[in-house]
mmCIF file of all heavy atoms in Angstrom:
data_model
loop_
_atom_site.group_PDB
_atom_site.id
_atom_site.type_symbol
_atom_site.label_atom_id
_atom_site.label_comp_id
_atom_site.label_asym_id
_atom_site.label_seq_id
_atom_site.Cartn_x
_atom_site.Cartn_y
_atom_site.Cartn_z
ATOM 1 N N GLY A 3 5.684 -29.888 45.626
ATOM 2 C CA GLY A 3 6.514 -28.715 45.394
ATOM 3 C C GLY A 3 7.337 -28.824 44.119
ATOM 4 O O GLY A 3 7.353 -29.878 43.508
ATOM 5 N N VAL A 4 7.877 -27.747 43.710
ATOM 6 C CA VAL A 4 8.696 -27.607 42.521
ATOM 7 C C VAL A 4 10.136 -27.981 42.961
ATOM 8 O O VAL A 4 10.547 -27.584 44.060
ATOM 9 C CB VAL A 4 8.759 -26.242 41.929
ATOM 10 C CG1 VAL A 4 9.676 -26.069 40.755
ATOM 11 C CG2 VAL A 4 7.350 -25.791 41.561
ATOM 12 N N HIS A 5 10.801 -28.773 42.213
ATOM 13 C CA HIS A 5 12.067 -29.294 42.608
ATOM 14 C C HIS A 5 13.075 -28.835 41.499
ATOM 15 O O HIS A 5 13.148 -29.213 40.464
ATOM 16 C CB HIS A 5 12.192 -30.872 42.576
ATOM 17 C CG HIS A 5 13.444 -31.472 42.973
ATOM 18 N ND1 HIS A 5 13.814 -31.503 44.320
ATOM 19 C CD2 HIS A 5 14.334 -32.064 42.216
ATOM 20 C CE1 HIS A 5 14.848 -32.186 44.414
ATOM 21 N NE2 HIS A 5 15.272 -32.543 43.151
ATOM 22 N N GLY A 6 14.018 -27.831 41.959
ATOM 23 C CA GLY A 6 14.887 -27.226 41.070
ATOM 24 C C GLY A 6 14.368 -25.968 40.358
ATOM 25 O O GLY A 6 13.177 -25.625 40.487
ATOM 26 N N PRO A 7 15.230 -25.379 39.602
ATOM 27 C CA PRO A 7 14.867 -24.222 38.769
ATOM 28 C C PRO A 7 13.919 -24.472 37.615
ATOM 29 O O PRO A 7 14.002 -25.555 37.106
ATOM 30 C CB PRO A 7 16.098 -23.618 38.355
ATOM 31 C CG PRO A 7 16.900 -24.746 38.124
ATOM 32 C CD PRO A 7 16.647 -25.776 39.194
ATOM 33 N N VAL A 8 13.007 -23.593 37.263
ATOM 34 C CA VAL A 8 12.217 -23.725 36.191
ATOM 35 C C VAL A 8 13.127 -23.256 34.912
ATOM 36 O O VAL A 8 13.799 -22.182 34.873
ATOM 37 C CB VAL A 8 10.951 -22.830 36.197
ATOM 38 C CG1 VAL A 8 10.219 -22.852 34.813
ATOM 39 C CG2 VAL A 8 10.055 -23.217 37.325
ATOM 40 N N ARG A 9 13.117 -24.185 33.821
ATOM 41 C CA ARG A 9 13.804 -23.839 32.701
ATOM 42 C C ARG A 9 12.925 -23.550 31.489
ATOM 43 O O ARG A 9 11.749 -23.783 31.412
ATOM 44 C CB ARG A 9 14.783 -25.040 32.440
ATOM 45 C CG ARG A 9 15.850 -25.239 33.512
ATOM 46 C CD ARG A 9 16.621 -26.284 33.150
ATOM 47 N NE ARG A 9 15.927 -27.653 33.338
ATOM 48 C CZ ARG A 9 16.112 -28.770 32.744
ATOM 49 N NH1 ARG A 9 17.115 -28.887 31.878
ATOM 50 N NH2 ARG A 9 15.253 -29.905 33.000
ATOM 51 N N GLU A 10 13.540 -23.142 30.450
ATOM 52 C CA GLU A 10 12.931 -22.779 29.303
ATOM 53 C C GLU A 10 13.428 -23.203 27.921
ATOM 54 O O GLU A 10 14.763 -23.394 27.955
ATOM 55 C CB GLU A 10 12.702 -21.220 29.229
ATOM 56 C CG GLU A 10 11.897 -20.607 28.106
ATOM 57 C CD GLU A 10 11.881 -19.075 28.092
ATOM 58 O OE1 GLU A 10 11.953 -18.465 29.306
ATOM 59 O OE2 GLU A 10 11.949 -18.517 26.985
ATOM 60 N N MET A 11 12.664 -23.761 27.013
ATOM 61 C CA MET A 11 13.265 -24.017 25.701
ATOM 62 C C MET A 11 12.390 -23.744 24.641
ATOM 63 O O MET A 11 11.134 -23.537 24.886
ATOM 64 C CB MET A 11 13.653 -25.661 25.750
ATOM 65 C CG MET A 11 12.393 -26.572 25.577
ATOM 66 S SD MET A 11 12.970 -28.216 25.469
ATOM 67 C CE MET A 11 11.392 -28.988 24.880
ATOM 68 N N ASP A 12 12.742 -23.771 23.385
ATOM 69 C CA ASP A 12 12.098 -23.527 22.136
ATOM 70 C C ASP A 12 11.374 -24.907 21.884
ATOM 71 O O ASP A 12 11.904 -25.932 21.975
ATOM 72 C CB ASP A 12 12.825 -23.145 21.032
ATOM 73 C CG ASP A 12 12.204 -22.771 19.793
ATOM 74 O OD1 ASP A 12 10.972 -23.232 19.659
ATOM 75 O OD2 ASP A 12 12.776 -22.194 18.916
ATOM 76 N N VAL A 13 9.988 -24.817 21.395
ATOM 77 C CA VAL A 13 9.278 -26.149 21.187
ATOM 78 C C VAL A 13 10.014 -26.887 20.052
ATOM 79 O O VAL A 13 9.916 -28.071 20.029
ATOM 80 C CB VAL A 13 7.878 -25.794 20.769
ATOM 81 C CG1 VAL A 13 7.685 -25.010 19.402
ATOM 82 C CG2 VAL A 13 6.916 -26.931 20.792
ATOM 83 N N GLU A 14 10.802 -26.230 19.219
ATOM 84 C CA GLU A 14 11.456 -26.844 18.046
ATOM 85 C C GLU A 14 12.630 -27.679 18.610
ATOM 86 O O GLU A 14 13.166 -28.536 17.825
ATOM 87 C CB GLU A 14 11.863 -25.870 17.092
ATOM 88 C CG GLU A 14 10.782 -25.079 16.421
ATOM 89 C CD GLU A 14 9.796 -25.946 15.618
ATOM 90 O OE1 GLU A 14 10.178 -27.064 15.193
ATOM 91 O OE2 GLU A 14 8.618 -25.507 15.205
ATOM 92 N N LYS A 15 12.989 -27.540 19.765
ATOM 93 C CA LYS A 15 14.166 -28.257 20.334
ATOM 94 C C LYS A 15 13.856 -29.573 21.047
ATOM 95 O O LYS A 15 14.695 -30.101 21.666
ATOM 96 C CB LYS A 15 14.926 -27.335 21.389
ATOM 97 C CG LYS A 15 15.416 -26.050 20.656
ATOM 98 C CD LYS A 15 16.583 -26.260 19.746
ATOM 99 C CE LYS A 15 17.130 -25.007 19.330
ATOM 100 N NZ LYS A 15 18.253 -25.204 18.262
ATOM 101 N N TRP A 16 12.657 -30.102 21.027
ATOM 102 C CA TRP A 16 12.175 -31.162 21.685
ATOM 103 C C TRP A 16 13.031 -32.388 21.280
ATOM 104 O O TRP A 16 13.541 -33.110 22.305
ATOM 105 C CB TRP A 16 10.649 -31.489 21.480
ATOM 106 C CG TRP A 16 10.154 -32.792 22.070
ATOM 107 C CD1 TRP A 16 9.901 -33.923 21.350
ATOM 108 C CD2 TRP A 16 10.006 -33.160 23.333
ATOM 109 N NE1 TRP A 16 9.391 -34.929 22.179
ATOM 110 C CE2 TRP A 16 9.520 -34.431 23.370
ATOM 111 C CE3 TRP A 16 10.177 -32.416 24.570
ATOM 112 C CZ2 TRP A 16 9.232 -35.079 24.586
ATOM 113 C CZ3 TRP A 16 9.901 -33.158 25.772
ATOM 114 C CH2 TRP A 16 9.299 -34.546 25.810
ATOM 115 N N SER A 17 13.219 -32.739 20.162
ATOM 116 C CA SER A 17 13.956 -34.007 19.847
ATOM 117 C C SER A 17 15.338 -33.960 20.355
ATOM 118 O O SER A 17 15.831 -34.870 20.815
ATOM 119 C CB SER A 17 13.936 -34.118 18.297
ATOM 120 O OG SER A 17 12.649 -34.471 17.738
ATOM 121 N N GLU A 18 15.926 -32.859 20.180
ATOM 122 C CA GLU A 18 17.300 -32.529 20.557
ATOM 123 C C GLU A 18 17.485 -32.787 22.148
ATOM 124 O O GLU A 18 18.223 -33.350 22.683
ATOM 125 C CB GLU A 18 17.767 -31.222 20.250
ATOM 126 C CG GLU A 18 19.189 -30.810 20.605
ATOM 127 C CD GLU A 18 19.513 -29.383 20.119
ATOM 128 O OE1 GLU A 18 19.188 -28.901 19.074
ATOM 129 O OE2 GLU A 18 20.314 -28.556 21.086
ATOM 130 N N HIS A 19 16.343 -32.101 22.893
ATOM 131 C CA HIS A 19 16.297 -32.212 24.407
ATOM 132 C C HIS A 19 16.227 -33.753 24.815
ATOM 133 O O HIS A 19 16.885 -34.059 25.732
ATOM 134 C CB HIS A 19 15.107 -31.392 24.754
ATOM 135 C CG HIS A 19 14.830 -31.580 26.196
ATOM 136 N ND1 HIS A 19 15.598 -31.113 27.229
ATOM 137 C CD2 HIS A 19 13.795 -32.205 26.823
ATOM 138 C CE1 HIS A 19 15.087 -31.376 28.444
ATOM 139 N NE2 HIS A 19 13.873 -32.050 28.102
ATOM 140 N N ILE A 20 15.250 -34.428 24.333
ATOM 141 C CA ILE A 20 15.113 -35.761 24.682
ATOM 142 C C ILE A 20 16.212 -36.755 24.436
ATOM 143 O O ILE A 20 16.728 -37.687 25.169
ATOM 144 C CB ILE A 20 13.724 -36.422 24.351
ATOM 145 C CG1 ILE A 20 13.599 -36.515 22.846
ATOM 146 C CG2 ILE A 20 12.612 -35.701 24.876
ATOM 147 C CD1 ILE A 20 12.401 -37.338 22.371
ATOM 148 N N GLU A 21 16.854 -36.466 23.172
ATOM 149 C CA GLU A 21 18.024 -37.187 22.825
ATOM 150 C C GLU A 21 19.153 -37.097 23.887
ATOM 151 O O GLU A 21 19.883 -37.994 24.393
ATOM 152 C CB GLU A 21 18.594 -36.877 21.500
ATOM 153 C CG GLU A 21 17.953 -37.554 20.386
ATOM 154 C CD GLU A 21 18.172 -39.162 20.357
ATOM 155 O OE1 GLU A 21 19.278 -39.566 20.616
ATOM 156 O OE2 GLU A 21 17.208 -39.829 19.983
ATOM 157 N N LYS A 22 19.335 -35.877 24.399
ATOM 158 C CA LYS A 22 20.230 -35.425 25.357
ATOM 159 C C LYS A 22 19.932 -35.792 26.776
ATOM 160 O O LYS A 22 20.739 -36.379 27.531
ATOM 161 C CB LYS A 22 20.612 -33.953 25.314
ATOM 162 C CG LYS A 22 21.661 -33.388 26.279
ATOM 163 C CD LYS A 22 21.927 -31.947 26.205
ATOM 164 C CE LYS A 22 22.924 -31.508 27.115
ATOM 165 N NZ LYS A 22 22.990 -30.107 27.112
ATOM 166 N N SER A 23 18.719 -35.556 27.258
ATOM 167 C CA SER A 23 18.349 -35.776 28.577
ATOM 168 C C SER A 23 17.659 -37.136 28.873
ATOM 169 O O SER A 23 17.834 -37.774 29.887
ATOM 170 C CB SER A 23 17.145 -34.755 28.942
ATOM 171 O OG SER A 23 17.711 -33.446 28.783
ATOM 172 N N TRP A 24 16.909 -37.805 27.848
ATOM 173 C CA TRP A 24 16.240 -39.003 28.093
ATOM 174 C C TRP A 24 16.529 -39.930 26.960
ATOM 175 O O TRP A 24 15.439 -40.512 26.334
ATOM 176 C CB TRP A 24 14.773 -38.771 28.236
ATOM 177 C CG TRP A 24 14.354 -37.715 29.078
ATOM 178 C CD1 TRP A 24 13.962 -36.391 28.861
ATOM 179 C CD2 TRP A 24 14.377 -37.703 30.598
ATOM 180 N NE1 TRP A 24 13.587 -35.720 30.033
ATOM 181 C CE2 TRP A 24 13.921 -36.506 31.001
ATOM 182 C CE3 TRP A 24 14.759 -38.680 31.613
ATOM 183 C CZ2 TRP A 24 13.976 -36.209 32.423
ATOM 184 C CZ3 TRP A 24 14.741 -38.460 32.834
ATOM 185 C CH2 TRP A 24 14.170 -37.236 33.329
ATOM 186 N N PRO A 25 17.792 -40.209 26.541
ATOM 187 C CA PRO A 25 17.993 -41.101 25.407
ATOM 188 C C PRO A 25 17.411 -42.548 25.471
ATOM 189 O O PRO A 25 16.910 -43.142 24.516
ATOM 190 C CB PRO A 25 19.561 -41.246 25.354
ATOM 191 C CG PRO A 25 19.980 -40.837 26.666
ATOM 192 C CD PRO A 25 18.979 -39.941 27.179
ATOM 193 N N GLU A 26 17.158 -43.040 26.638
ATOM 194 C CA GLU A 26 16.596 -44.392 26.876
ATOM 195 C C GLU A 26 15.072 -44.420 26.733
ATOM 196 O O GLU A 26 14.486 -45.491 26.688
ATOM 197 C CB GLU A 26 16.998 -45.036 28.119
ATOM 198 C CG GLU A 26 16.612 -44.281 29.352
ATOM 199 C CD GLU A 26 17.391 -43.029 29.826
ATOM 200 O OE1 GLU A 26 18.265 -42.530 29.124
ATOM 201 O OE2 GLU A 26 17.272 -42.643 30.987
ATOM 202 N N TYR A 27 14.409 -43.124 26.664
ATOM 203 C CA TYR A 27 13.073 -43.075 26.685
ATOM 204 C C TYR A 27 12.490 -42.515 25.181
ATOM 205 O O TYR A 27 11.333 -42.185 25.095
ATOM 206 C CB TYR A 27 12.518 -42.130 27.620
ATOM 207 C CG TYR A 27 12.637 -42.798 29.054
ATOM 208 C CD1 TYR A 27 13.746 -42.394 29.825
ATOM 209 C CD2 TYR A 27 11.821 -43.799 29.490
ATOM 210 C CE1 TYR A 27 13.885 -42.960 31.158
ATOM 211 C CE2 TYR A 27 12.123 -44.422 30.771
ATOM 212 C CZ TYR A 27 13.104 -43.910 31.645
ATOM 213 O OH TYR A 27 13.299 -44.434 32.894
ATOM 214 N N THR A 28 13.385 -42.333 24.258
ATOM 215 C CA THR A 28 13.065 -41.669 23.028
ATOM 216 C C THR A 28 11.858 -42.384 22.348
ATOM 217 O O THR A 28 11.015 -41.726 21.695
ATOM 218 C CB THR A 28 14.196 -41.555 22.063
ATOM 219 O OG1 THR A 28 14.783 -42.812 21.854
ATOM 220 C CG2 THR A 28 15.234 -40.530 22.637
ATOM 221 N N THR A 29 11.826 -43.691 22.409
ATOM 222 C CA THR A 29 10.660 -44.292 21.791
ATOM 223 C C THR A 29 9.349 -44.153 22.428
ATOM 224 O O THR A 29 8.335 -44.484 21.978
ATOM 225 C CB THR A 29 10.996 -45.703 21.487
ATOM 226 O OG1 THR A 29 11.279 -46.385 22.700
ATOM 227 C CG2 THR A 29 12.155 -45.931 20.508
ATOM 228 N N SER A 30 9.428 -44.025 23.801
ATOM 229 C CA SER A 30 8.099 -43.896 24.553
ATOM 230 C C SER A 30 7.596 -42.356 24.918
ATOM 231 O O SER A 30 6.524 -42.279 25.291
ATOM 232 C CB SER A 30 8.217 -44.606 25.947
ATOM 233 O OG SER A 30 9.270 -43.945 26.752
ATOM 234 N N LEU A 31 8.353 -41.407 24.375
ATOM 235 C CA LEU A 31 7.922 -40.090 24.505
ATOM 236 C C LEU A 31 7.376 -39.570 23.117
ATOM 237 O O LEU A 31 7.703 -40.254 22.194
ATOM 238 C CB LEU A 31 9.182 -39.154 24.979
ATOM 239 C CG LEU A 31 9.633 -39.439 26.397
ATOM 240 C CD1 LEU A 31 11.018 -38.687 26.494
ATOM 241 C CD2 LEU A 31 8.640 -39.000 27.386
ATOM 242 N N PRO A 32 6.719 -38.398 23.169
ATOM 243 C CA PRO A 32 6.176 -38.024 21.837
ATOM 244 C C PRO A 32 7.285 -37.655 20.854
ATOM 245 O O PRO A 32 8.293 -37.250 21.245
ATOM 246 C CB PRO A 32 5.399 -36.721 22.346
ATOM 247 C CG PRO A 32 5.148 -36.815 23.714
ATOM 248 C CD PRO A 32 6.392 -37.628 24.321
ATOM 249 N N THR A 33 6.978 -37.762 19.569
ATOM 250 C CA THR A 33 7.914 -37.352 18.524
ATOM 251 C C THR A 33 7.835 -35.739 18.553
ATOM 252 O O THR A 33 7.143 -35.244 19.166
ATOM 253 C CB THR A 33 7.332 -37.780 17.252
ATOM 254 O OG1 THR A 33 6.012 -37.186 16.925
ATOM 255 C CG2 THR A 33 7.167 -39.391 17.172
ATOM 256 N N GLN A 34 8.723 -35.197 17.723
ATOM 257 C CA GLN A 34 8.886 -33.824 17.565
ATOM 258 C C GLN A 34 7.358 -33.191 17.221
ATOM 259 O O GLN A 34 6.874 -32.226 17.823
ATOM 260 C CB GLN A 34 9.899 -33.316 16.676
ATOM 261 C CG GLN A 34 10.026 -31.995 16.451
ATOM 262 C CD GLN A 34 10.363 -31.047 17.604
ATOM 263 O OE1 GLN A 34 11.397 -31.430 18.287
ATOM 264 N NE2 GLN A 34 9.635 -30.101 17.992
ATOM 265 N N ALA A 35 6.885 -33.817 16.172
ATOM 266 C CA ALA A 35 5.499 -33.362 15.712
ATOM 267 C C ALA A 35 4.422 -33.542 16.702
ATOM 268 O O ALA A 35 3.677 -32.679 16.927
ATOM 269 C CB ALA A 35 5.213 -34.063 14.275
ATOM 270 N N GLU A 36 4.446 -34.533 17.345
ATOM 271 C CA GLU A 36 3.425 -34.913 18.414
ATOM 272 C C GLU A 36 3.592 -33.815 19.588
ATOM 273 O O GLU A 36 2.474 -33.252 20.094
ATOM 274 C CB GLU A 36 3.479 -36.301 19.039
ATOM 275 C CG GLU A 36 3.096 -37.286 18.101
ATOM 276 C CD GLU A 36 3.575 -38.655 18.473
ATOM 277 O OE1 GLU A 36 4.400 -38.863 19.280
ATOM 278 O OE2 GLU A 36 2.939 -39.676 17.893
ATOM 279 N N PHE A 37 4.881 -33.631 20.006
ATOM 280 C CA PHE A 37 5.041 -32.675 21.060
ATOM 281 C C PHE A 37 4.616 -31.300 20.740
ATOM 282 O O PHE A 37 3.967 -30.610 21.403
ATOM 283 C CB PHE A 37 6.572 -32.605 21.386
ATOM 284 C CG PHE A 37 6.968 -31.732 22.558
ATOM 285 C CD1 PHE A 37 6.730 -31.995 23.821
ATOM 286 C CD2 PHE A 37 7.611 -30.528 22.277
ATOM 287 C CE1 PHE A 37 7.092 -31.113 24.831
ATOM 288 C CE2 PHE A 37 7.893 -29.609 23.256
ATOM 289 C CZ PHE A 37 7.658 -29.995 24.514
ATOM 290 N N LYS A 38 4.974 -30.869 19.555
ATOM 291 C CA LYS A 38 4.642 -29.577 18.969
ATOM 292 C C LYS A 38 3.105 -29.286 18.891
ATOM 293 O O LYS A 38 2.490 -28.427 19.495
ATOM 294 C CB LYS A 38 5.232 -29.226 17.702
ATOM 295 C CG LYS A 38 5.054 -27.813 17.281
ATOM 296 C CD LYS A 38 5.774 -27.577 15.910
ATOM 297 C CE LYS A 38 5.571 -26.151 15.374
ATOM 298 N NZ LYS A 38 6.353 -25.967 14.079
ATOM 299 N N LYS A 39 2.404 -30.379 18.621
ATOM 300 C CA LYS A 39 0.931 -30.369 18.484
ATOM 301 C C LYS A 39 0.404 -30.186 20.011
ATOM 302 O O LYS A 39 -0.544 -29.370 20.220
ATOM 303 C CB LYS A 39 0.311 -31.612 17.816
ATOM 304 C CG LYS A 39 -1.214 -31.711 17.706
ATOM 305 C CD LYS A 39 -1.534 -32.914 16.798
ATOM 306 C CE LYS A 39 -2.991 -32.913 16.705
ATOM 307 N NZ LYS A 39 -3.832 -33.417 17.717
ATOM 308 N N HIS A 40 0.847 -31.063 20.905
ATOM 309 C CA HIS A 40 0.432 -31.016 22.225
ATOM 310 C C HIS A 40 0.559 -29.642 22.793
ATOM 311 O O HIS A 40 -0.233 -29.041 23.485
ATOM 312 C CB HIS A 40 1.019 -32.048 22.983
ATOM 313 C CG HIS A 40 0.650 -33.279 22.820
ATOM 314 N ND1 HIS A 40 -0.514 -33.922 22.930
ATOM 315 C CD2 HIS A 40 1.425 -34.653 22.595
ATOM 316 C CE1 HIS A 40 -0.571 -35.177 22.604
ATOM 317 N NE2 HIS A 40 0.652 -35.543 22.440
ATOM 318 N N ILE A 41 1.705 -29.036 22.671
ATOM 319 C CA ILE A 41 2.133 -27.701 23.193
ATOM 320 C C ILE A 41 1.175 -26.693 22.499
ATOM 321 O O ILE A 41 0.835 -25.738 23.261
ATOM 322 C CB ILE A 41 3.538 -27.337 23.028
ATOM 323 C CG1 ILE A 41 4.413 -28.409 23.920
ATOM 324 C CG2 ILE A 41 3.910 -26.026 23.336
ATOM 325 C CD1 ILE A 41 4.128 -28.374 25.342
ATOM 326 N N GLN A 42 0.967 -26.719 21.231
ATOM 327 C CA GLN A 42 0.088 -25.749 20.559
ATOM 328 C C GLN A 42 -1.376 -25.845 21.145
ATOM 329 O O GLN A 42 -2.056 -24.841 21.034
ATOM 330 C CB GLN A 42 0.155 -25.970 19.060
ATOM 331 C CG GLN A 42 1.417 -25.450 18.432
ATOM 332 C CD GLN A 42 1.574 -25.708 17.005
ATOM 333 O OE1 GLN A 42 0.991 -26.668 16.445
ATOM 334 N NE2 GLN A 42 2.459 -25.058 16.272
ATOM 335 N N GLU A 43 -1.730 -27.027 21.503
ATOM 336 C CA GLU A 43 -2.995 -27.206 22.176
ATOM 337 C C GLU A 43 -3.110 -26.771 23.542
ATOM 338 O O GLU A 43 -4.157 -27.158 24.264
ATOM 339 C CB GLU A 43 -3.465 -28.608 21.870
ATOM 340 C CG GLU A 43 -3.690 -28.973 20.420
ATOM 341 C CD GLU A 43 -3.985 -30.469 20.171
ATOM 342 O OE1 GLU A 43 -3.755 -31.332 20.996
ATOM 343 O OE2 GLU A 43 -4.323 -30.774 19.059
ATOM 344 N N ASN A 44 -2.095 -26.319 24.045
ATOM 345 C CA ASN A 44 -1.852 -26.022 25.556
ATOM 346 C C ASN A 44 -2.031 -27.169 26.499
ATOM 347 O O ASN A 44 -2.360 -27.101 27.594
ATOM 348 C CB ASN A 44 -2.923 -24.929 26.050
ATOM 349 C CG ASN A 44 -2.537 -23.553 25.410
ATOM 350 O OD1 ASN A 44 -1.317 -23.278 25.468
ATOM 351 N ND2 ASN A 44 -3.538 -22.709 25.076
ATOM 352 N N SER A 45 -1.684 -28.396 25.931
ATOM 353 C CA SER A 45 -1.574 -29.664 26.770
ATOM 354 C C SER A 45 -0.288 -29.657 27.442
ATOM 355 O O SER A 45 0.786 -29.080 27.031
ATOM 356 C CB SER A 45 -1.734 -30.851 25.798
ATOM 357 O OG SER A 45 -2.931 -30.913 25.142
ATOM 358 N N ILE A 46 -0.253 -30.370 28.626
ATOM 359 C CA ILE A 46 0.976 -30.552 29.406
ATOM 360 C C ILE A 46 1.512 -31.875 29.082
ATOM 361 O O ILE A 46 0.727 -32.865 28.857
ATOM 362 C CB ILE A 46 0.615 -30.564 30.897
ATOM 363 C CG1 ILE A 46 -0.214 -29.373 31.350
ATOM 364 C CG2 ILE A 46 1.825 -30.829 31.695
ATOM 365 C CD1 ILE A 46 0.552 -28.000 31.113
ATOM 366 N N VAL A 47 2.810 -31.844 28.695
ATOM 367 C CA VAL A 47 3.444 -33.126 28.371
ATOM 368 C C VAL A 47 4.350 -33.573 29.580
ATOM 369 O O VAL A 47 4.971 -32.736 30.070
ATOM 370 C CB VAL A 47 4.324 -32.930 27.102
ATOM 371 C CG1 VAL A 47 5.037 -34.237 26.727
ATOM 372 C CG2 VAL A 47 3.376 -32.660 25.946
#
């Protein structure tokens, strides 16, 4: 099931989002450029 509300953000806000939400994982998550590429390819991150 879905846990909590569905939220929305601009693809350009990824770096800002992970710094705020997941600071301890910034090196293991995609970079801003990688994230944007995955999203443009309709991949799920």
Side-chain angles (χ1 to χ4, degrees):
V4 174
H5 185 75
V8 175
R9 296 176 289 150
E10 183 181 325
M11 73 175 198
D12 182 342
V13 71
E14 299 295 340
K15 300 290 185 179
W16 172 251
S17 290
E18 182 181 320
H19 169 70
I20 61 171
E21 276 294 324
K22 183 179 176 184
S23 301
W24 311 107
E26 63 275 19
Y27 295 102
T28 55
T29 58
S30 60
L31 291 170
T33 64
Q34 176 66 52
E36 291 167 337
F37 179 75
K38 188 174 181 178
K39 182 176 185 278
H40 290 306
I41 294 300
Q42 288 172 338
E43 294 171 347
N44 287 321
S45 297
I46 305 301
V47 176

